[in-house]
Amino acid sequence: MKVLVVGGGSREHALCWALRQDPAVERIYAAPGNAGTALLADNLPIAADDIDSLAHQAQELRPDLTIVGPEAPLCAGIADTFGRHGLPVFGPTRRAARLEGSKVWTKELARRFGIPTAEAHSFDDPRQALAFSRRFPFPQVIKADGLASGKGVFIATDFAQARDAITSLMERRLYGSAGHRILVEAFLEGVELSAFALFDTRQYTILGFAHDYKRINDGDSGPNTGGMGAFLPSPLLSPSLVRQIEESIFSRLHAACIEEKLEYRGVLYAGLMVTEKGPFLLEINVRFGDPEAQVLLPSLRTPLSEIAQAVCRDELSGLRLVRHPRSVVGVVIASSGYPDNPRQGDRITLSDSPSSASGRQGVLFHGATKRNQGLLRTAGGRVFTAVGWGDRLSEARLHAYQEVDAVSFPGMHFRKDIASSLAGHPVAEPHEA
């Protein structure tokens, strides 16, 4: 079969990597791809949000399956456009993708369907938002309504910080139209957990769980980013917690999709806060997370094409999902100046991973990379995700940082505490937790 992967980051390299190991997949296309996907797929020089050009190319190539990595083309309706041409897409329709495209709309949906979530109020007038924020308890969370590449969320511990966040989003338009409306939300105490489920229009099944690290620096300091690392399995998980997440989050979300007539065929990523009172929904993403995909995909034994086709055909009931009994750790390597002003064009040097000598237990996923006159160079903020795996979390972490050691470029930055601390506490081996 032929598969088209839309996107050009580390998540898309991971998708191509998973597909390349799938014996059913004969050819892979990546649009636009990067220097890493070029080793596994035919890169197509088409931007991920250029839906008309993608649809035209897909009509010529006739892929058996299209997997969409980033949120922007999903929210712009790529699944609808491809569907009109008989091209199956692993990803929700434009209307269903509003679950990520509008935090205000999703918050209202969660309230209607009894999904536990933090108290929040929406505003499209900065003066009203500021007046409310001054009265609302601190700390509080200020969120852009629209797409902001995972960066439109601010935690304010006092009114001065809240004022800066509100004016940055609504008046200075730090993230463009994403800040036309905002949420002022109550702060929840707990540990964040990324939960993934496969949805088709008939049923759902849990795909997996991971923890990610959003702050740029060690100890969860500095500004929010698109993600600086991730790991699985979670030391928090217990049969009781999984049951709570199924009953209060995923089953109600799936029921909402059916009742609202949202055509959702794809992976749904629920960002949760696990509190003393149970799991609360923070946000929904309508695709694989980045960097969570880079640790989730190596944990799956069931071929990716089999998973995606079952979803696209509304045949989840017949899917047998098998996972590796392993721990996986991913460390993002970013360029100087990320997230606000990432430097580009620096020459990258790669050496063999130290783990190669004894049988490699890791992989280096390219993100913002390109080849210029035969030389590998940085092309944006998150340049690589170094991934390692092993029987224990400590072993997976060791292999991930060995992959980091194989990379060198001026100003490279990465966190040194991925999978060693979480919410200010040391991470225990899951079976010891």
Side-chain angles (χ1 to χ4, degrees):
M1 66 183 299
K2 296 184 293 185
V3 182
L4 170 62
V5 174
V6 176
S10 294
R11 165 183 50 211
E12 288 72 41
H13 188 187
L15 288 166
C16 290
W17 174 85
L19 290 166
R20 181 52 63 198
Q21 299 176 69
D22 186 341
V25 177
E26 298 173 354
R27 193 161 189 179
I28 307 169
Y29 302 95
N34 57 38
T37 63
L39 303 174
L40 306 170
D42 296 318
N43 281 357
L44 306 175
I46 306 173
D49 58 358
D50 187 352
I51 294 174
D52 289 340
S53 296
L54 286 168
H56 178 76
Q57 184 72 79
Q59 288 177 75
E60 292 185 357
L61 297 173
R62 302 305 299 183
D64 301 287
L65 174 68
T66 296
I67 300 177
V68 183
E71 62 274 20
L74 290 167
C75 290
I78 188 172
D80 308 70
T81 300
F82 275 45
R84 287 194 290 271
H85 297 291
L87 298 164
V89 172
F90 181 79
T93 61
R94 180 175 185 169
R95 190 162 174 268
R98 198 178 180 193
L99 287 165
E100 179 166 1
S102 174
K103 291 182 175 65
V104 172
W105 186 80
T106 299
K107 181 69 71 171
E108 293 169 352
L109 180 139
R111 288 174 181 149
R112 290 201 309 274
F113 285 87
I115 299 166
T117 186
E119 177 188 355
H121 300 263
S122 64
F123 301 91
D124 56 17
D125 183 326
R127 292 169 299 180
Q128 293 179 4
L130 288 166
F132 177 81
S133 173
R134 191 186 293 273
R135 304 190 307 269
F136 200 58
F138 287 94
Q140 56 190 229
V141 184
I142 314 298
K143 295 181 177 180
D145 174 54
L147 302 179
S149 300
K151 302 169 192 171
V153 178
F154 300 85
I155 298 173
T157 59
D158 56 36
F159 181 68
Q161 292 180 355
R163 181 180 58 219
D164 287 347
I166 291 168
T167 55
S168 292
L169 291 172
M170 303 192 78
E171 296 182 354
R172 295 199 293 271
R173 293 300 174 95
L174 180 62
Y175 299 111
S177 61
H180 174 70
R181 288 193 300 176
I182 67 164
L183 284 171
V184 180
E185 187 171 288
F187 180 82
L188 294 174
E189 291 279 0
V191 179
E192 289 194 44
L193 178 66
S194 301
F196 295 85
L198 299 168
F199 275 33
D200 68 18
T201 62
R202 297 175 180 172
Q203 70 174 63
Y204 76 92
T205 187
I206 287 183
L207 183 62
F209 301 89
H211 290 284
D212 78 322
Y213 295 73
K214 294 182 174 64
R215 300 282 186 165
I216 186 70
N217 295 321
D218 290 0
D220 292 329
S221 63
N224 266 343
T225 71
M228 291 300 296
F231 77 91
L232 60 79
S234 167
L236 298 181
L237 288 182
S238 65
S240 174
L241 178 58
V242 172
R243 185 168 58 253
Q244 288 181 69
I245 292 170
E246 283 221 55
E247 293 174 355
S248 65
I249 307 293
F250 284 130
S251 67
R252 296 178 188 181
L253 280 173
H254 194 261
C257 287
I258 292 173
E259 187 166 327
E260 296 289 319
K261 294 181 171 57
L262 305 179
E263 289 188 49
Y264 203 115
R265 296 180 180 91
V267 63
L268 185 143
Y269 159 17
L272 308 178
M273 184 68 78
V274 180
T275 74
E276 292 181 350
K277 295 181 179 180
F280 281 70
L281 180 67
L282 296 177
E283 64 176 358
I284 293 174
N285 292 335
V286 296
R287 34 72 188 183
F288 284 107
D290 182 348
E292 291 95 338
Q294 292 91 291
V295 298
L296 187 61
L297 290 167
S299 76
L300 299 176
R301 272 185 171 160
T302 304
L304 180 57
S305 69
E306 184 179 329
I307 292 171
Q309 286 187 308
V311 168
C312 291
R313 295 168 179 169
D314 288 329
E315 295 176 353
L316 264 179
S317 60
L319 178 69
R320 182 171 177 265
L321 198 58
V322 182
R323 302 173 182 85
H324 287 287
R326 60 169 50 152
S327 297
V328 190
V329 173
V331 180
V332 170
I333 304 172
S335 60
S336 176
Y338 179 74
D340 296 325
N341 188 28
R343 196 167 74 191
Q344 300 188 33
D346 288 315
R347 183 176 177 178
I348 301 168
T349 301
L350 299 180
S351 59
D352 290 335
S353 166
S355 64
S356 298
S358 58
R360 190 170 184 179
Q361 290 183 265
V363 61
L364 188 64
F365 292 127
H366 288 238
T369 64
K370 64 179 179 181
R371 288 207 176 270
N372 187 351
Q373 297 180 337
L375 298 177
L376 188 62
R377 295 190 180 275
T378 62
R382 291 188 293 172
V383 183
F384 295 99
T385 305
V387 176
W389 51 80
D391 294 334
R392 295 171 60 83
L393 194 60
S394 56
E395 183 183 353
R397 186 173 185 274
L398 171 65
H399 292 142
Y401 280 99
Q402 285 177 336
E403 297 292 333
V404 173
D405 290 340
V407 179
S408 177
F409 60 86
M412 63 181 274
H413 172 77
F414 59 92
R415 284 184 57 159
K416 301 176 181 62
D417 62 346
I418 305 300
S420 66
S421 65
L422 185 66
H425 301 285
V427 175
E429 293 285 348
H431 66 275
E432 297 174 355

